[in-house]
Coordinates of all heavy atoms in Angstrom, one line a residue:
M193 N 12.7 20.9 9.9 CA 12.1 19.8 9.0 C 10.8 20.3 8.4 O 10.1 21.1 9.0 CB 11.9 18.6 9.8 CG 11.5 17.4 9.0 SD 11.3 15.8 9.8 CE 12.9 15.6 10.6
P194 N 10.6 20.0 7.1 CA 9.3 20.4 6.5 C 8.1 19.9 7.3 O 8.1 18.9 8.0 CB 9.4 19.7 5.1 CG 10.8 19.4 4.9 CD 11.4 19.2 6.2
R195 N 7.0 20.7 7.1 CA 5.8 20.4 7.8 C 4.7 20.2 6.7 O 4.6 20.8 5.7 CB 5.4 21.6 8.7 CG 6.3 21.7 9.9 CD 5.9 22.9 10.7 NE 6.1 24.1 10.1 CZ 7.2 24.9 10.1 NH1 8.3 24.4 10.7 NH2 7.3 26.0 9.4
V196 N 3.7 19.4 7.1 CA 2.5 19.1 6.3 C 1.3 19.3 7.2 O 1.3 18.9 8.4 CB 2.5 17.7 5.6 CG1 2.7 16.6 6.6 CG2 1.2 17.5 4.9
T197 N 0.3 20.0 6.7 CA -0.9 20.3 7.5 C -2.1 19.5 7.0 O -2.3 19.5 5.7 CB -1.2 21.8 7.5 OG1 -0.1 22.4 8.2 CG2 -2.5 22.1 8.3
Y198 N -2.8 18.8 7.8 CA -4.0 18.1 7.5 C -5.2 18.8 8.1 O -5.3 19.0 9.3 CB -4.0 16.7 8.1 CG -2.7 15.9 7.7 CD1 -1.6 16.1 8.5 CD2 -2.7 15.1 6.6 CE1 -0.4 15.4 8.2 CE2 -1.6 14.4 6.3 CZ -0.4 14.5 7.0 OH 0.7 13.8 6.7
H199 N -6.1 19.3 7.2 CA -7.3 19.9 7.7 C -8.4 18.8 7.9 O -8.6 18.0 7.0 CB -7.8 20.9 6.7 CG -6.8 22.1 6.5 ND1 -6.7 23.1 7.4 CD2 -5.8 22.3 5.6 CE1 -5.8 23.9 7.1 NE2 -5.2 23.5 6.0
L200 N -8.9 18.7 9.0 CA -9.8 17.6 9.4 C -11.3 18.0 9.2 O -11.6 19.2 9.2 CB -9.6 17.3 10.9 CG -8.1 17.1 11.3 CD1 -8.1 16.9 12.9 CD2 -7.5 15.9 10.6
P201 N -12.1 17.0 9.0 CA -13.5 17.3 8.7 C -14.2 18.0 9.8 O -15.2 18.7 9.6 CB -14.1 15.8 8.6 CG -13.0 15.0 8.2 CD -11.8 15.6 8.9
D202 N -13.8 18.0 11.1 CA -14.4 18.7 12.2 C -14.0 20.2 12.2 O -14.4 20.9 13.1 CB -14.1 18.0 13.5 CG -12.7 18.1 13.9 OD1 -11.8 18.7 13.2 OD2 -12.4 17.5 15.0
G203 N -13.2 20.6 11.3 CA -12.8 22.0 11.2 C -11.4 22.2 11.9 O -10.8 23.3 11.7
G204 N -10.9 21.3 12.6 CA -9.6 21.4 13.2 C -8.5 21.1 12.2 O -8.8 20.8 11.0
S205 N -7.3 21.1 12.6 CA -6.1 20.8 11.8 C -5.0 20.2 12.6 O -5.0 20.4 13.8 CB -5.7 22.0 11.0 OG -5.1 22.9 11.9
R206 N -4.2 19.4 11.9 CA -3.0 18.9 12.5 C -1.8 19.2 11.6 O -1.9 19.0 10.4 CB -3.1 17.3 12.7 CG -4.1 16.8 13.7 CD -3.5 16.7 15.1 NE -2.2 16.1 15.1 CZ -2.1 14.7 15.2 NH1 -3.1 13.9 15.2 NH2 -0.9 14.2 15.3
T207 N -0.7 19.7 12.2 CA 0.5 19.9 11.4 C 1.6 19.1 12.0 O 1.8 19.0 13.2 CB 0.9 21.4 11.5 OG1 -0.1 22.2 10.9 CG2 2.2 21.7 10.8
V208 N 2.2 18.3 11.2 CA 3.3 17.4 11.6 C 4.5 17.6 10.7 O 4.5 18.1 9.6 CB 2.9 15.9 11.5 CG1 1.6 15.7 12.3 CG2 2.7 15.5 10.1
E209 N 5.7 17.2 11.3 CA 6.9 17.3 10.5 C 7.1 16.0 9.7 O 6.7 14.9 10.2 CB 8.1 17.5 11.5 CG 8.1 18.9 12.2 CD 9.3 19.1 13.0 OE1 9.9 18.1 13.5 OE2 9.7 20.2 13.2
A210 N 7.7 16.1 8.6 CA 8.0 15.0 7.7 C 9.2 15.2 6.9 O 9.5 16.3 6.5 CB 6.8 14.7 6.8
A211 N 10.0 14.2 6.8 CA 11.3 14.3 6.1 C 11.1 14.4 4.6 O 10.1 13.9 4.0 CB 12.1 13.1 6.4
P212 N 11.9 15.2 3.9 CA 11.9 15.2 2.4 C 11.9 13.8 1.9 O 12.7 13.0 2.3 CB 13.1 16.0 2.0 CG 13.4 16.9 3.2 CD 13.0 16.0 4.4
G213 N 11.0 13.5 0.9 CA 10.9 12.2 0.3 C 9.8 11.3 1.0 O 9.4 10.4 0.4
E214 N 9.5 11.6 2.3 CA 8.5 10.8 3.0 C 7.1 11.2 2.3 O 6.9 12.3 1.9 CB 8.5 11.2 4.5 CG 7.5 10.4 5.3 CD 7.6 10.7 6.8 OE1 8.3 11.7 7.2 OE2 6.9 10.0 7.5
S215 N 6.2 10.2 2.3 CA 4.9 10.5 1.7 C 4.0 11.2 2.8 O 4.2 11.0 4.0 CB 4.3 9.2 1.2 OG 3.8 8.5 2.3
V216 N 3.1 11.9 2.2 CA 2.1 12.6 3.1 C 1.3 11.6 3.9 O 0.9 11.8 5.0 CB 1.2 13.6 2.3 CG1 0.1 14.1 3.1 CG2 2.1 14.7 1.7
M217 N 1.1 10.4 3.3 CA 0.3 9.3 3.9 C 1.1 8.8 5.1 O 0.6 8.6 6.2 CB 0.0 8.2 3.0 CG -0.8 7.1 3.7 SD -0.6 5.5 2.9 CE 0.9 4.9 3.7
M218 N 2.4 8.5 4.9 CA 3.2 7.9 6.0 C 3.4 8.9 7.1 O 3.4 8.5 8.3 CB 4.6 7.4 5.4 CG 4.5 6.3 4.5 SD 3.6 4.8 5.2 CE 4.9 4.3 6.4
A219 N 3.5 10.1 6.8 CA 3.6 11.1 7.9 C 2.3 11.2 8.7 O 2.3 11.3 9.9 CB 3.9 12.5 7.3
A220 N 1.1 11.0 8.0 CA -0.1 11.0 8.7 C -0.2 9.7 9.6 O -0.6 9.8 10.8 CB -1.3 11.0 7.7
V221 N 0.1 8.6 9.0 CA 0.0 7.3 9.8 C 0.9 7.4 11.0 O 0.6 7.0 12.1 CB 0.2 6.1 8.9 CG1 0.3 4.8 9.7 CG2 -0.9 6.0 7.8
G222 N 2.1 7.8 10.8 CA 3.1 7.9 11.8 C 2.8 8.8 13.0 O 3.3 8.7 14.1
N223 N 1.9 9.8 12.7 CA 1.5 10.7 13.7 C 0.0 10.6 14.1 O -0.6 11.5 14.7 CB 1.7 12.2 13.2 CG 3.2 12.5 13.1 OD1 3.8 12.8 14.2 ND2 3.8 12.4 12.0
A224 N -0.6 9.5 13.7 CA -2.0 9.1 14.1 C -3.0 10.2 13.7 O -3.9 10.6 14.5 CB -2.1 8.8 15.6
V225 N -2.8 10.8 12.5 CA -3.8 11.8 12.0 C -5.1 11.0 11.6 O -5.0 10.1 10.8 CB -3.2 12.5 10.8 CG1 -4.3 13.4 10.1 CG2 -2.0 13.3 11.2
P226 N -6.2 11.4 12.2 CA -7.4 10.7 11.9 C -7.9 10.8 10.4 O -7.7 11.9 9.8 CB -8.5 11.3 12.8 CG -7.9 12.6 13.2 CD -6.4 12.5 13.1
G227 N -8.4 9.7 9.9 CA -8.9 9.8 8.5 C -8.0 9.3 7.4 O -8.4 9.1 6.3
I228 N -6.7 9.1 7.8 CA -5.7 8.5 6.9 C -5.4 7.2 7.4 O -4.5 7.0 8.3 CB -4.5 9.4 6.7 CG1 -4.9 10.8 6.3 CG2 -3.5 8.8 5.7 CD1 -5.4 11.0 4.9
L229 N -6.0 6.2 6.8 CA -5.8 4.8 7.3 C -4.6 4.1 6.8 O -3.9 3.3 7.5 CB -7.0 4.0 7.0 CG -8.4 4.5 7.6 CD1 -9.5 3.6 7.2 CD2 -8.3 4.6 9.1
G230 N -4.3 4.4 5.5 CA -3.1 3.7 4.9 C -3.3 2.2 4.9 O -2.4 1.5 5.1
A231 N -4.5 1.8 4.6 CA -4.9 0.4 4.8 C -4.0 -0.6 4.0 O -3.8 -1.7 4.4 CB -6.4 0.2 4.4
C232 N -3.5 -0.2 2.8 CA -2.7 -1.1 2.0 C -1.2 -0.8 2.1 O -0.4 -1.3 1.3 CB -3.2 -1.1 0.6 SG -2.8 0.4 -0.3
G233 N -0.9 0.2 3.0 CA 0.5 0.6 3.1 C 0.9 1.5 1.9 O 2.1 1.7 1.7
G234 N 0.0 1.9 1.2 CA 0.3 2.8 0.1 C 0.6 2.1 -1.2 O 1.2 2.7 -2.1
G235 N 0.1 0.9 -1.3 CA 0.3 0.1 -2.5 C -0.7 0.4 -3.7 O -0.7 -0.4 -4.6
L236 N -1.4 1.4 -3.6 CA -2.5 1.7 -4.6 C -3.5 0.6 -4.7 O -3.9 0.3 -5.8 CB -1.8 2.1 -5.9 CG -1.2 3.4 -6.1 CD1 -0.5 3.6 -7.4 CD2 -2.2 4.5 -5.9
A237 N -3.8 0.0 -3.6 CA -4.8 -1.1 -3.6 C -6.0 -0.8 -2.8 O -7.0 -1.5 -2.9 CB -4.1 -2.4 -3.1
S238 N -6.0 0.2 -2.0 CA -7.1 0.5 -1.1 C -7.8 1.8 -1.3 O -8.9 2.0 -0.9 CB -6.7 0.4 0.4 OG -5.8 1.5 0.7
A239 N -7.1 2.8 -1.8 CA -7.5 4.2 -1.9 C -7.9 4.8 -0.5 O -8.8 5.6 -0.5 CB -8.7 4.3 -2.9
A240 N -7.3 4.2 0.5 CA -7.7 4.7 1.9 C -6.8 5.8 2.4 O -6.6 6.0 3.6 CB -7.6 3.5 2.9
C241 N -6.2 6.6 1.4 CA -5.4 7.7 1.8 C -5.8 8.9 1.0 O -5.0 9.8 0.7 CB -3.9 7.4 1.7 SG -3.4 7.0 0.0
H242 N -7.1 9.0 0.7 CA -7.6 10.0 -0.2 C -7.7 11.4 0.5 O -8.2 11.4 1.6 CB -9.0 9.6 -0.7 CG -9.5 10.5 -1.8 ND1 -10.8 10.9 -1.8 CD2 -9.0 11.0 -2.9 CE1 -11.0 11.7 -2.9 NE2 -9.9 11.7 -3.6
V243 N -7.2 12.4 -0.2 CA -7.3 13.8 0.4 C -7.6 14.7 -0.8 O -7.5 14.3 -2.0 CB -6.0 14.2 1.0 CG1 -5.6 13.4 2.2 CG2 -4.8 14.2 0.0
F244 N -8.0 15.9 -0.5 CA -8.1 17.0 -1.5 C -7.0 18.0 -1.2 O -6.9 18.4 0.0 CB -9.5 17.6 -1.4 CG -10.6 16.6 -1.9 CD1 -11.3 15.9 -1.0 CD2 -10.8 16.5 -3.2 CE1 -12.3 15.0 -1.4 CE2 -11.8 15.6 -3.7 CZ -12.5 14.8 -2.8
V245 N -6.3 18.4 -2.2 CA -5.3 19.4 -2.1 C -5.8 20.7 -2.6 O -6.1 20.9 -3.8 CB -4.0 19.0 -2.9 CG1 -2.9 20.0 -2.7 CG2 -3.5 17.6 -2.5
P246 N -6.0 21.7 -1.7 CA -6.5 23.0 -2.1 C -5.4 23.8 -2.9 O -4.2 23.6 -2.7 CB -6.8 23.7 -0.8 CG -6.6 22.7 0.3 CD -5.8 21.6 -0.2
E247 N -5.9 24.7 -3.7 CA -5.0 25.7 -4.2 C -4.6 26.5 -3.1 O -5.4 26.7 -2.1 CB -5.7 26.6 -5.3 CG -6.0 25.9 -6.6 CD -4.8 25.7 -7.5 OE1 -3.7 26.0 -7.0 OE2 -4.9 25.2 -8.6
P248 N -3.4 27.0 -3.0 CA -2.3 27.0 -4.0 C -1.3 25.8 -3.8 O -0.2 25.9 -4.3 CB -1.6 28.3 -3.7 CG -1.7 28.4 -2.2 CD -3.0 27.8 -1.8
W249 N -1.7 24.7 -3.1 CA -0.8 23.7 -2.8 C -0.6 22.6 -3.9 O 0.2 21.7 -3.7 CB -1.2 23.0 -1.4 CG -1.3 24.0 -0.4 CD1 -2.4 24.6 0.2 CD2 -0.2 24.7 0.3 NE1 -2.1 25.5 1.1 CE2 -0.7 25.6 1.2 CE3 1.2 24.6 0.2 CZ2 0.1 26.4 2.0 CZ3 2.0 25.4 1.0 CH2 1.4 26.2 1.9
R250 N -1.5 22.7 -4.9 CA -1.5 21.7 -5.9 C -0.2 21.6 -6.7 O 0.3 20.5 -7.0 CB -2.7 21.8 -6.9 CG -4.0 21.6 -6.2 CD -5.1 21.7 -7.1 NE -6.4 21.8 -6.3 CZ -7.5 22.3 -6.7 NH1 -7.6 22.8 -7.9 NH2 -8.5 22.3 -5.9
A251 N 0.4 22.7 -7.0 CA 1.7 22.7 -7.7 C 2.8 22.0 -6.9 O 3.5 21.2 -7.5 CB 2.1 24.1 -8.1
L252 N 2.8 22.2 -5.6 CA 3.8 21.6 -4.8 C 3.5 20.1 -4.7 O 4.4 19.2 -4.7 CB 3.8 22.2 -3.4 CG 4.8 21.7 -2.4 CD1 6.2 22.0 -2.9 CD2 4.6 22.3 -1.0
A253 N 2.3 19.7 -4.6 CA 1.9 18.3 -4.5 C 2.1 17.5 -5.8 O 2.3 16.3 -5.8 CB 0.4 18.1 -4.0
G254 N 2.0 18.2 -6.9 CA 2.2 17.5 -8.2 C 0.9 17.0 -8.7 O -0.2 17.1 -8.1
A255 N 0.9 16.3 -9.9 CA -0.3 15.7 -10.5 C -0.3 14.2 -10.3 O 0.8 13.6 -10.3 CB -0.3 16.1 -12.0
P256 N -1.5 13.6 -10.3 CA -1.5 12.1 -10.1 C -1.0 11.4 -11.4 O -1.3 11.9 -12.5 CB -3.0 11.9 -9.9 CG -3.7 13.0 -10.4 CD -2.8 14.2 -10.3
Q257 N -0.4 10.3 -11.2 CA 0.0 9.4 -12.3 C -1.3 8.6 -12.7 O -2.3 8.6 -12.0 CB 1.1 8.5 -12.0 CG 2.4 9.3 -11.6 CD 3.0 10.1 -12.7 OE1 3.1 9.6 -13.8 NE2 3.3 11.4 -12.5
S258 N -1.2 7.9 -13.8 CA -2.4 7.2 -14.4 C -3.0 6.2 -13.4 O -4.2 6.1 -13.2 CB -2.1 6.6 -15.7 OG -1.1 5.6 -15.6
M259 N -2.2 5.4 -12.7 CA -2.7 4.3 -11.8 C -3.4 5.0 -10.6 O -4.5 4.6 -10.2 CB -1.6 3.4 -11.4 CG -2.1 2.3 -10.5 SD -3.3 1.2 -11.4 CE -3.7 0.0 -10.1
E260 N -2.8 6.0 -10.1 CA -3.4 6.8 -9.0 C -4.7 7.4 -9.4 O -5.7 7.3 -8.7 CB -2.4 7.9 -8.5 CG -3.1 8.7 -7.4 CD -2.3 9.9 -7.0 OE1 -1.2 10.1 -7.5 OE2 -2.8 10.7 -6.2
D261 N -4.7 8.0 -10.6 CA -5.9 8.6 -11.1 C -7.0 7.5 -11.3 O -8.2 7.8 -10.9 CB -5.6 9.2 -12.5 CG -6.8 10.1 -12.9 OD1 -7.2 11.0 -12.1 OD2 -7.3 9.9 -14.0
H262 N -6.7 6.3 -11.7 CA -7.7 5.3 -11.8 C -8.2 4.9 -10.4 O -9.4 4.7 -10.3 CB -7.0 4.0 -12.5 CG -7.9 2.8 -12.5 ND1 -9.0 2.7 -13.2 CD2 -7.8 1.7 -11.7 CE1 -9.6 1.5 -12.9 NE2 -8.9 0.9 -12.0
M263 N -7.3 4.8 -9.5 CA -7.8 4.4 -8.1 C -8.6 5.4 -7.4 O -9.4 5.1 -6.5 CB -6.5 4.1 -7.2 CG -5.8 2.8 -7.6 SD -6.9 1.3 -7.4 CE -7.2 1.4 -5.6
R264 N -8.6 6.6 -7.9 CA -9.4 7.7 -7.3 C -10.9 7.4 -7.5 O -11.8 7.9 -6.8 CB -9.1 9.1 -7.9 CG -7.7 9.6 -7.3 CD -7.3 10.8 -8.0 NE -8.3 11.9 -7.9 CZ -8.5 12.8 -8.8 NH1 -7.7 12.9 -9.9 NH2 -9.4 13.8 -8.6
D265 N -11.2 6.5 -8.5 CA -12.6 6.0 -8.7 C -13.0 5.1 -7.6 O -14.2 4.7 -7.5 CB -12.8 5.4 -10.0 CG -12.7 6.4 -11.2 OD1 -13.0 7.5 -11.0 OD2 -12.3 5.9 -12.3
M266 N -12.1 4.6 -6.7 CA -12.4 3.6 -5.7 C -12.5 4.2 -4.3 O -12.7 3.5 -3.4 CB -11.3 2.5 -5.7 CG -10.9 2.0 -7.0 SD -12.3 1.1 -7.8 CE -11.6 0.8 -9.4
T267 N -12.4 5.5 -4.2 CA -12.5 6.1 -2.9 C -14.0 6.2 -2.4 O -14.9 6.1 -3.2 CB -11.9 7.5 -2.9 OG1 -12.7 8.4 -3.8 CG2 -10.5 7.5 -3.4
V268 N -14.1 6.5 -1.1 CA -15.5 6.7 -0.6 C -16.1 8.0 -0.9 O -17.2 8.3 -0.6 CB -15.5 6.4 1.0 CG1 -15.1 5.0 1.3 CG2 -14.6 7.4 1.7
T269 N -15.3 8.9 -1.4 CA -15.7 10.3 -1.7 C -15.9 10.5 -3.2 O -15.2 9.7 -4.0 CB -14.7 11.3 -1.2 OG1 -13.5 11.1 -1.7 CG2 -14.7 11.3 0.3
E270 N -16.6 11.4 -3.6 CA -16.8 11.8 -5.0 C -15.4 12.4 -5.5 O -14.7 13.0 -4.7 CB -17.9 12.8 -5.2 CG -19.3 12.3 -4.9 CD -19.8 11.3 -5.9 OE1 -19.4 11.4 -7.1 OE2 -20.4 10.3 -5.5
R271 N -15.2 12.2 -6.8 CA -14.1 12.9 -7.4 C -14.2 14.4 -7.3 O -15.4 14.9 -7.3 CB -13.9 12.6 -8.9 CG -13.2 11.3 -9.2 CD -13.1 11.2 -10.7 NE -12.2 10.1 -11.0 CZ -10.9 10.2 -11.3 NH1 -10.4 11.4 -11.4 NH2 -10.2 9.2 -11.6
G272 N -13.2 15.1 -7.1 CA -13.2 16.5 -7.0 C -11.9 17.1 -7.4 O -10.9 16.4 -7.4
P273 N -11.9 18.5 -7.6 CA -10.6 19.1 -7.9 C -9.6 18.9 -6.7 O -9.9 19.0 -5.6 CB -11.0 20.6 -7.9 CG -12.5 20.6 -8.2 CD -13.0 19.4 -7.5
G274 N -8.4 18.6 -7.1 CA -7.3 18.4 -6.2 C -7.3 17.1 -5.5 O -6.5 16.9 -4.6
G275 N -8.2 16.1 -5.9 CA -8.2 14.8 -5.2 C -6.9 14.1 -5.5 O -6.5 14.0 -6.6
R276 N -6.3 13.5 -4.4 CA -5.1 12.7 -4.5 C -5.1 11.6 -3.5 O -5.8 11.7 -2.5 CB -3.8 13.6 -4.2 CG -3.6 14.7 -5.2 CD -3.1 14.3 -6.6 NE -2.1 13.3 -6.5 CZ -0.8 13.6 -6.5 NH1 -0.4 14.9 -6.4 NH2 0.2 12.7 -6.5
L277 N -4.4 10.6 -3.8 CA -4.0 9.5 -2.9 C -2.7 10.0 -2.3 O -1.7 10.0 -3.0 CB -4.0 8.1 -3.5 CG -5.2 7.7 -4.2 CD1 -5.1 6.3 -4.8 CD2 -6.4 7.7 -3.2
C278 N -2.7 10.3 -1.0 CA -1.6 11.0 -0.4 C -0.3 10.2 -0.2 O 0.7 10.7 0.1 CB -1.9 11.8 0.8 SG -2.4 10.9 2.2
R279 N -0.4 8.9 -0.5 CA 0.8 8.1 -0.5 C 1.7 8.5 -1.7 O 2.9 8.3 -1.7 CB 0.4 6.6 -0.6 CG 1.6 5.6 -0.8 CD 2.6 5.7 0.4 NE 3.7 4.8 0.2 CZ 4.9 5.1 -0.5 NH1 5.0 6.3 -1.0 NH2 5.8 4.3 -0.6
Q280 N 1.0 9.0 -2.7 CA 1.7 9.4 -3.9 C 2.2 10.9 -3.8 O 2.8 11.3 -4.8 CB 0.8 9.2 -5.1 CG 0.2 7.8 -5.2 CD 1.3 6.8 -5.2 OE1 2.2 6.9 -6.0 NE2 1.1 5.7 -4.4
I281 N 2.0 11.5 -2.7 CA 2.5 12.9 -2.6 C 3.8 12.8 -1.7 O 3.7 12.5 -0.5 CB 1.5 13.9 -2.0 CG1 0.2 13.9 -2.8 CG2 2.1 15.3 -1.8 CD1 -0.9 14.6 -2.1
A282 N 4.9 13.2 -2.3 CA 6.2 13.1 -1.5 C 6.5 14.5 -1.0 O 6.3 15.5 -1.7 CB 7.3 12.6 -2.4
M283 N 7.0 14.5 0.2 CA 7.4 15.8 0.8 C 8.6 16.3 0.1 O 9.5 15.5 -0.4 CB 7.7 15.6 2.3 CG 6.6 15.3 3.2 SD 5.3 16.5 3.3 CE 6.2 17.8 4.1
T284 N 8.7 17.6 -0.1 CA 9.9 18.2 -0.7 C 10.7 18.9 0.4 O 10.4 18.8 1.6 CB 9.4 19.3 -1.7 OG1 8.9 20.4 -1.1 CG2 8.4 18.7 -2.7
E285 N 11.7 19.7 -0.1 CA 12.5 20.4 0.9 C 11.8 21.7 1.3 O 12.3 22.4 2.3 CB 13.9 20.8 0.2 CG 14.7 19.6 -0.2 CD 15.5 19.0 0.9 OE1 15.6 19.6 2.0 OE2 16.1 17.9 0.7
A286 N 10.7 22.0 0.7 CA 10.0 23.2 1.1 C 9.5 23.2 2.5 O 8.9 22.2 3.0 CB 8.7 23.4 0.2
P287 N 9.8 24.2 3.3 CA 9.5 24.1 4.8 C 8.0 24.1 5.1 O 7.6 23.5 6.1 CB 10.2 25.4 5.3 CG 10.4 26.3 4.2 CD 10.6 25.4 3.0
E288 N 7.2 24.7 4.2 CA 5.8 24.7 4.4 C 5.1 24.0 3.3 O 5.3 24.3 2.1 CB 5.3 26.1 4.5 CG 5.7 26.9 5.7 CD 5.2 26.3 7.0 OE1 4.1 25.7 7.0 OE2 5.8 26.5 8.1
G289 N 4.2 23.1 3.6 CA 3.4 22.5 2.7 C 3.7 21.0 2.4 O 4.7 20.5 2.8
P290 N 2.8 20.3 1.7 CA 1.5 20.9 1.3 C 0.5 20.8 2.4 O 0.8 20.3 3.5 CB 1.1 19.9 0.2 CG 1.7 18.6 0.6 CD 3.0 19.0 1.3
Q291 N -0.6 21.4 2.2 CA -1.8 21.3 3.1 C -2.8 20.5 2.3 O -3.0 20.6 1.1 CB -2.3 22.7 3.4 CG -1.3 23.5 4.2 CD -1.9 24.7 4.8 OE1 -3.2 24.9 4.9 NE2 -1.1 25.6 5.3
V292 N -3.5 19.6 3.1 CA -4.5 18.7 2.5 C -5.7 18.7 3.3 O -5.7 18.9 4.5 CB -3.9 17.3 2.3 CG1 -2.7 17.3 1.4 CG2 -3.6 16.6 3.6
Q293 N -6.9 18.5 2.7 CA -8.2 18.4 3.3 C -8.6 16.9 3.4 O -8.6 16.2 2.3 CB -9.2 19.2 2.6 CG -10.6 19.1 3.1 CD -10.8 19.7 4.5 OE1 -10.4 20.9 4.6 NE2 -11.3 19.0 5.5
I294 N -9.0 16.4 4.5 CA -9.5 15.1 4.7 C -11.0 15.2 4.6 O -11.6 15.9 5.4 CB -9.0 14.4 6.0 CG1 -7.5 14.4 6.0 CG2 -9.6 13.0 6.1 CD1 -6.9 13.9 7.3
A295 N -11.6 14.4 3.7 CA -13.1 14.4 3.6 C -13.8 13.8 4.8 O -13.2 12.8 5.4 CB -13.5 13.7 2.3
A296 N -15.0 14.2 5.1 CA -15.7 13.7 6.2 C -16.0 12.2 6.0 O -15.9 11.4 6.9 CB -17.1 14.4 6.3
E297 N -16.2 11.7 4.7 CA -16.4 10.3 4.5 C -15.2 9.5 4.8 O -15.3 8.3 5.0 CB -16.9 10.1 3.0 CG -18.1 10.8 2.6 CD -17.9 12.2 2.1 OE1 -16.9 12.8 2.4 OE2 -18.9 12.7 1.5
Q298 N -14.1 10.1 4.8 CA -12.8 9.4 5.0 C -12.5 9.2 6.4 O -11.8 8.3 6.8 CB -11.7 10.1 4.3 CG -10.3 9.4 4.2 CD -10.2 8.5 3.1 OE1 -11.0 8.5 2.1 NE2 -9.2 7.6 3.1
A299 N -13.0 10.1 7.3 CA -12.7 10.0 8.7 C -13.5 8.9 9.4 O -14.5 8.5 9.0 CB -13.0 11.4 9.3
Ligands
LIG172 S1 -3.3 3.5 1.5 FE1 -3.8 2.2 -0.1 S2 -3.8 3.5 -1.8 FE2 -3.3 4.8 -0.2

């Protein structure tokens, strides 16, 4: 099964399995990854699933759509390169990736 890795603010990381099509947010919530609250269930109403996607994982994660991009102004962190609401990142068939960074302000 594909894996997604969450880099935590304390320098640690968590890697979990997620089915193709499952969101990176739901995989985090289902595996109790700290810092991904999923407060609105991924309805683009809370911005509580904000992550940063480092290169070279951005191509795999894709680009934000307009509503997601707007909601990125509502996060507790500053905008930055690779910022995404991870409910909007769907797992692919790729066995590795994406990897995402959880900001300290989010944890
Ligand atoms: S959990 Fe609400 S937008 Fe991601």
Side-chain angles (χ1 to χ4, degrees):
M193 188 173 301
R195 292 180 294 272
V196 52
T197 297
Y198 305 87
H199 296 281
L200 309 176
D202 68 1
S205 65
R206 289 275 311 275
T207 298
V208 305
E209 293 184 332
E214 184 176 10
S215 76
V216 169
M217 183 206 82
M218 291 305 290
V221 170
N223 287 281
V225 174
I228 303 294
L229 302 178
C232 72
L236 285 177
S238 70
C241 61
H242 188 225
V243 297
F244 292 95
V245 182
E247 289 284 5
W249 303 103
R250 290 181 195 157
L252 184 63
Q257 301 295 313
S258 60
M259 184 61 181
E260 177 190 353
D261 191 54
H262 171 72
M263 286 301 294
R264 288 172 58 208
D265 290 332
M266 311 300 173
T267 65
V268 297
T269 55
E270 294 288 325
R271 272 183 174 264
R276 295 291 310 275
L277 300 181
C278 64
R279 173 62 178 89
Q280 306 303 312
I281 304 173
M283 295 297 293
T284 70
E285 301 278 349
E288 293 294 336
Q291 297 191 14
V292 300
Q293 175 70 52
I294 301 171
E297 297 90 340
Q298 187 85 13

